[in-house]
Amino acid sequence: MGGAGPASGASSDPIITRLANEDKVRWYRKPNLRYLYFLLFPTCMGIELTSGFDSQMINALQIVPSWVSYFGNPQGSLKGIIAAAYSLGAILSLPFIGMVNDKFGRRWSIMGGSFIMVIGALIQGFSVNAGMYVVARLILGFGIPTCIVSASSLIGELAYPKERPVLTSLFNVAYFVGQITAAGICFGTNNITTNMAWKIPSWLQMCPSLLQIAFVLFLPESPRWLVQQDRIEEAYEVLVKYHAEGNRESEFVKAEFAQIQTTITIELEHSKRSWGDLIATAGMRRRMLISCMLGLFTQWSGNTLISYYLGDLLGMIGKNDSVFKQQINVATACWQLVCGVIVAFLVLKFRRRQMYLACTISLLCVYVAWTISMERAIAGNESGNPNNSANIATIFWIFAYSPCYNIGYNALTYTYLVELWPFAERSRGIAFFQLFGRMANFFTTFVNPIGLANASWRYLISYCCFLVFEIGFVYFMFPETFGRTLEELAFLFEDKALADEAVHAVEKVVVHHEEPAVGRVSSGGKVETSEIAQKA
């Protein structure tokens, strides 16, 4: 394939990948690994439940009569800021994410972010005016990025290499479970005539965070973070328990540990563990540019129109019945979940660039067709002669959008980011992606109702134009990361000699049967070693 292709640093010998692929025992036949994966769902996968719940709740509550009357039927900029406040709160928290992750680790970062979101949900339900409601959503947004960055990293860093791509892809699928839950709850409370119709969904938004608070400390900490913190023996024990079912003599775990420790040592030698590292080298700057653009693409591909303003879109084609809107709301959420789950399992079959190109090209085709059908439907509605064919086509393209978006921007987002960034900069790199994603989300959720009100169907043309740019950027700039472990991808854009150094450490274990060094990582990045064998 043309374009960016694989970077040269990725061409070193993938020994750990080969060893993992030689393991034919399925994950569900490994008790410790099975326990780990089941525990990841409420603690890490469940974090995106909150984001999905929020987007659908705001979408659905705008149809609930009691919410509309209580807050004075928000329109224009007020309507936009209510929806966008969640993203604005997230933007405000991003500068602290790297520091919090480095100091407290993945688990306690999730715990802290979850507590903040519980407070935000409580205030949201007790809001007495639109201003208080916006503040509550700012607090909710402030808590979510720390959880997302920590959880997506933790999934990638704990998972067995064979299942890692699927698990990190399923992380985003939980978003749709949250959407369905919120859509169902709002549909059920739609006929309540009191303010409880919107207060109940607002309070229930804290439930995923309560799950994380209850279960996250039952998870092991990331072995890579433990290595960084000089807790080497603990890191090795985590790998032994979950990647070798307690077998301390496992060749795979010894090789994996040697690769992790050597790679992190090399990374720390070249890292100051600051935001400045993201622009320190050409390779880091390219990672930053890709993360920046990916953040924009996940929000500026037209998805926020469906996520936040589906009711307005249906109203523009003459579908004003609130029950019908709620039914479509629930149906789209269920359809997105089906598409998301199916596509998550395709990440083991298709290369990353192929999936991203298929995603962007198909999205452009859908948006062009949707724009045309939307124009015909609105023209018929305004003339007093509804065009039922165009109305049906418009709803069809809204549903057709989901599988196209899921191919790349849902299934691959965190899988690709975890693979793209080396451990030392992973939390900051994903936080940088979050920054641009949240800013893009804030902008579009604020601008969308204004654009639809002033430009009607013509507003969709702006998304068509941006999708053309996305296709070109993906083709020329996205590297291939398929089929490698995180450490094999750590020096994707760097000198191949660095990658070969990590490979050499693995070869010493696999080929020469040397014991991997267990020791303290000094401040200069050197390893003061002892031997695992002495402890075995």
Side-chain angles (χ1 to χ4, degrees), residues 132 356 403 425:
M132 187 174 176
Y356 272 122
E425 312 304 336

Side-chain angles (χ1 to χ4, degrees), residues 40-89:
L40 283 173
F41 274 85
T43 53
C44 292
M45 308 288 188
I47 284 166
E48 278 291 12
L49 286 171
T50 303
S51 293
F53 193 104
D54 183 82
S55 70
Q56 191 68 292
M57 183 188 72
I58 287 299
N59 200 354
L61 288 184
Q62 292 175 42
I63 309 168
V64 174
S66 61
W67 186 91
V68 173
S69 61
Y70 188 85
F71 292 109
N73 192 20
Q75 296 296 322
S77 59
L78 177 58
K79 189 175 187 178
I81 197 65
I82 287 174
Y86 187 77
S87 291
L88 180 58

Side-chain angles (χ1 to χ4, degrees), residues 218-367:
F218 289 99
L219 275 177
E221 185 53 87
S222 164
R224 291 158 176 87
W225 183 80
L226 291 171
V227 168
Q228 183 193 43
Q229 298 297 311
D230 302 329
R231 293 159 62 178
I232 307 299
E233 289 79 6
E234 290 179 58
Y236 186 72
E237 290 302 324
V238 170
L239 294 176
V240 166
K241 180 175 181 179
Y242 295 104
H243 290 190
E245 295 299 305
N247 179 13
R248 293 183 56 82
E249 300 306 314
S250 165
E251 181 182 61
F252 173 80
V253 165
K254 289 181 179 180
E256 182 184 32
F257 183 79
Q259 186 186 56
I260 290 172
Q261 190 172 16
T262 303
T263 302
I264 291 177
T265 299
I266 297 169
E267 287 180 26
L268 295 181
E269 287 176 347
H270 297 85
S271 172
K272 297 178 182 178
R273 285 188 262 182
S274 70
W275 286 100
D277 289 335
L278 301 190
I279 57 172
T281 66
M284 286 297 178
R285 288 191 291 273
R286 183 172 174 184
R287 287 184 178 94
M288 191 170 69
L289 177 62
I290 293 169
S291 299
C292 159
M293 288 295 117
L294 190 55
L296 297 181
F297 295 169
T298 57
Q299 302 300 324
W300 281 1
S301 298
N303 52 304
T304 53
L305 271 178
I306 300 172
S307 296
Y308 289 89
Y309 299 105
L310 179 59
D312 290 352
L313 292 171
L314 294 174
M316 289 169 68
I317 63 173
K319 303 296 184 182
N320 294 306
D321 180 62
S322 65
V323 175
F324 176 80
K325 289 181 179 180
Q326 294 283 20
Q327 288 172 337
I328 295 295
N329 221 8
V330 175
T332 55
C334 293
W335 174 236
Q336 287 170 335
L337 175 62
V338 171
C339 296
V341 171
I342 292 172
V343 172
F345 287 93
L346 296 180
V347 297
L348 296 177
K349 305 294 183 183
F350 297 97
R351 302 178 76 82
R352 310 295 187 239
R353 282 171 48 80
Q354 291 173 346
M355 292 184 71
Y356 272 122
L357 285 170
C359 169
T360 51
I361 293 170
S362 61
L363 281 177
L364 177 61
C365 294
V366 166
Y367 241 90

